[in-house]
Amino acid sequence: MTPIDGWKERAMYVVTLSAAYGAGGGIIGPAVAESLGVPFIDRAIPARVATDLGVTLEDALEHDDQCKGWLQRVLSAAAPLSSDFMIGYAPPRTALLPDTEFVACTEAAIRATIAERGGVILGRAAALVLREHPTARHIRLDGPVERRVRHAMRTLDLSEEEARDAMERNDSARTGYVRHFYRTDPADPRHYDMLLDSTRMSTETCVKLICDMTRAEHPSIG
């Protein structure tokens, strides 16, 4: 990769994590960030989007790829607003903002946030948003369905039925987000520098592999 205009000269660790449900992204991400000495960037993204667009944090979260219901909302948005909604008061600001504006603002928030201190970003198609970033390393966490179900049951204290339902909804929403806005499959290995079956290794092993690779690629950072 070569540097592009707009990135700061000062090199910083930047890691993007794309994680299937039950693959431990929410556990591995913060641990990688702590080991590399950079922030774990999660809620900071929708918070920045809310500020930049002048909407509430709740509104920004509803358009975030972590929101399981966003895809249904996108599909239903094609229907015209009812006359009952239009008469008597102005619609909320978020009803007038297309999802593409939220996505564009999310991309800008990702770039601005990592430019400040580097960071580890979970989800939000960050591997695609930062594919030209000169120091970013992109990781995909996945694993067989049955192992991911068991991992979710254990770490989130869910029943098997709850874990399977959550997996279907989460994987569908996040895959749909990337396909809808970026026209690609988030599981495509071409987007990543490392693919890990995190259901077959301990969290500590996954964190060490990611951090070792990141430091080896950029030994001058840190």
Side-chain angles (χ1 to χ4, degrees):
M1 294 184 185
T2 57
I4 61 174
D5 294 341
W7 300 117
K8 284 191 173 183
E9 292 295 327
R10 183 167 64 91
M12 293 169 287
Y13 290 125
V14 177
V15 175
T16 72
L17 288 180
S18 170
Y21 183 83
I27 299 172
I28 293 171
V32 169
E34 181 178 5
S35 179
L36 293 177
V38 296
F40 177 60
I41 301 169
D42 188 19
R43 293 278 289 197
I45 298 299
R48 194 161 192 155
V49 169
T51 299
D52 292 346
L53 290 180
V55 300
T56 67
L57 176 59
E58 289 72 21
D59 288 331
L61 286 169
E62 287 182 3
H63 291 76
D64 193 74
D65 89 319
Q66 308 296 306
C67 175
K68 297 179 286 295
W70 80 267
L71 186 57
Q72 181 178 355
R73 191 194 61 259
V74 167
L75 296 175
S76 64
L81 295 174
S82 71
S83 58
D84 290 340
F85 181 82
M86 296 296 292
I87 295 173
Y89 60 93
R93 173 166 166 72
T94 50
L96 305 177
L97 292 174
D99 281 87
T100 51
E101 188 165 347
F102 278 89
V103 172
C105 195
T106 296
E107 293 178 357
I110 289 171
R111 294 187 179 101
T113 303
I114 61 96
E116 295 166 358
R117 295 176 54 199
V120 175
I121 303 173
L122 177 62
R124 300 176 177 90
L128 300 172
V129 177
L130 299 178
R131 59 182 171 268
E132 299 297 332
H133 189 283
T135 67
R137 287 298 169 260
H138 311 295
I139 315 298
R140 172 71 179 178
L141 306 176
D142 210 328
V145 168
E146 294 306 317
R147 294 182 70 92
R148 288 194 287 123
V149 166
R150 290 196 294 274
H151 185 267
M153 291 171 62
R154 183 173 64 255
T155 59
L156 300 175
D157 193 24
L158 301 175
S159 68
E160 181 175 348
E161 182 179 1
E162 289 171 332
R164 290 187 185 280
D165 180 63
M167 176 178 293
E168 181 178 353
R169 289 185 286 110
N170 278 267
D171 283 351
S172 295
R174 293 173 187 177
T175 298
Y177 181 94
V178 175
R179 291 191 180 208
H180 183 78
F181 294 112
Y182 297 95
R183 299 295 188 265
T184 190
D185 183 351
D188 189 330
R190 290 175 295 180
H191 301 317
Y192 307 104
D193 300 300
M194 178 182 285
L195 307 175
L196 290 178
D197 181 349
S198 52
T199 68
R200 297 183 184 276
M201 294 178 283
S202 68
T203 295
E204 292 75 16
T205 299
C206 292
V207 171
K208 186 177 187 305
L209 287 170
I210 295 169
C211 291
D212 285 352
M213 183 270 286
T214 303
R215 291 188 178 105
E217 289 289 312
H218 301 290
S220 62
I221 301 178

